[in-house]
Amino acid sequence: MSDAETKRRLAALALGAIGVVYGDIGTSPLYTLQTTLSHDGQLPAAESIYGVLSLIFWAQIIVVSLKYVVFIMRADNKGEGGIMALLALALRSVRGEPRSRWILAIIGIFGAALFYGDGVITPAISVLSAVEGVKVAAPNLDAWVVPVTAVILFFLFALQRHGTERVGRLFGPVMVVWFIVIALLGVQQIMRNPQVLAALNPMYGIKFFSLHGMKAFIALGGVVLALTGAEALYADMGHFGKKPIRMAWFGFVLPALVLNYFGQGALLLAHPEAISNPFFIMVPAPLLYPMIGLACVATVIASQAVISGAFSMTREAMALGYSMPVVHTSREMSGQIFVPWVNNFLLIMVLAAVFHFGSSEKLSAAYGIAVTGTMTITTVLALFVARRQWGWSRAVVIIAGVLLLTIDLSFLGANLIKVEYGGWFPLVLGVGIFIVMTTWRRGRELVVREIKQSGLALAPFIHNIREHPPLSVPGTAVFLTANQNAVPHALLHNLKHNKVLHERNVLLTVEILETPVADFEERVTITPMDGGFYGLALRFGFAEDPNIPLALTHCARVGVSFDLMDTTFFLSRETIIADARRPGMALWRDKLFAFMARNALPATAFFQIPGNRLIELGAQVEI
């Protein structure tokens, strides 16, 4: 590829990153400065404006630029990013340490649960803050803000089942326009009050703390809103690559955000009463309604990015055993997925947040905890990977950890103060999702354990079959099983009720690896057995879409070919029975798992097994 083609490709990827990756952080100027400087109900003083602007600027430099763009993005799991990919990377480094794996899994899953909280609050606060621009143009329309926001969000979630491929093509250009416009608005105000640029000096942030103490610490809860969407930098690394994301941030997005924040600060220095909505007040009157429309589009894009991220994380969580199957919306693009139960859950929670809190200012109290909690957990996991995977010295990890965790925990502490004012919302949401995810994982482990314990040993069974052969029918039978050393329940039921065996019987085990994509040489392992039996292991990465029929067509290279028209798949569908007498989970968790299992999509849909080639046989499993 020529240098010109490489540059064009990088530019195209950077444009896509601007649209998808930076939608959330790009719309944070709508509410950040207003929320941070108006928490005490008084007009902001000049030293507070300088101090908060300095904190916002240096938070973006240290947290977004240095922590995420430079440090965290190094922790790529074969190119993939995000908290689940980071968790898988950390777990891979402690394979022989069960206690360490358990602790890391608990930490990572709680971080993922908080990310769902982000997926609820981001659409609510973003769209609310955009629609609130109407109050600047026509204060009498105040009562319509919440209903209009709810309608926009309802249609946004209703469109999810149709996929986002076509809409996604517009994301980049629209967000480029957005960043150019907000930068120009900022420049206009800075030219009127250029002294605001003095806030680039970090001493103003330090002075703000020395003068105001606890008030300044509480203000950190608002400053963190300028960092929302930083997780998207890492989560979308697999879609765009490190270089385009870094180019877009340093060359375009960061300058535009800094100009807009300092422009709002310049406006407030001259007109402190503009704190009611500094973003829209600095828009020239003739452009106010077009700007409100552009803001609504930008916030919908920001919301779409977070919703899609929640879907993608659900797929990875499901592959790692913490969630349930998904439905695809595009045959060409595997990354475009739709998770019906996640979509419905997010819609209900988002609308509940909008109607309960009613304004972006009130909702900001709930926002910070979800963001700072996930950011803190990401730092912990990344430091663990740096020590175990990259071989960093203990001293370097401690120094980096003290610096990064001091900042993260300060932001988290400032938001924990707001628990009673709305911070409880993401915490309750996160704990609920954490319980669901860990219950699903533990329940599947108990089911597999029960099946293994109750199964017949395979070797004596095959020996007995050879001595007393049943009626044999042509073709291949594939039995999905978790244990290749035991007779699958579906095989026993088939033999008991139909009194036949196929001439070739394959015991298939599917393994999901802790890497995003399985290497070619590890995808298929076939073990020939006596009496026409074969053991077959198929391996997929956690970011892949397991397609068993397609994988079987590649088995010819290892000596066993499959004619799918002459192959029948057998699967046991377990009915889960909660039993308080059995060890494992508490009875209420057993019942919760049984409920989820009844309502989960079948494994056959996840593995893309055609229904006309499938026979399901029921089995009861007590846990």
Side-chain angles (χ1 to χ4, degrees), residues 81-88 108 111-112 115 231 234 313 374 377-378 381:
I83 194 164
M84 293 306 297
L86 181 61
L87 173 60
F115 183 82
E231 281 289 325
Y234 183 42
M313 190 180 70
T374 305
I377 289 171
T378 296
L381 293 176

Side-chain angles (χ1 to χ4, degrees), residues 11-23 172 236 240-241 244-246 248 253:
L13 288 171
L15 177 63
I18 289 170
V20 176
V21 176
Y22 295 109
D236 289 310
F240 300 100
I245 290 176
R246 287 169 172 163
V253 176

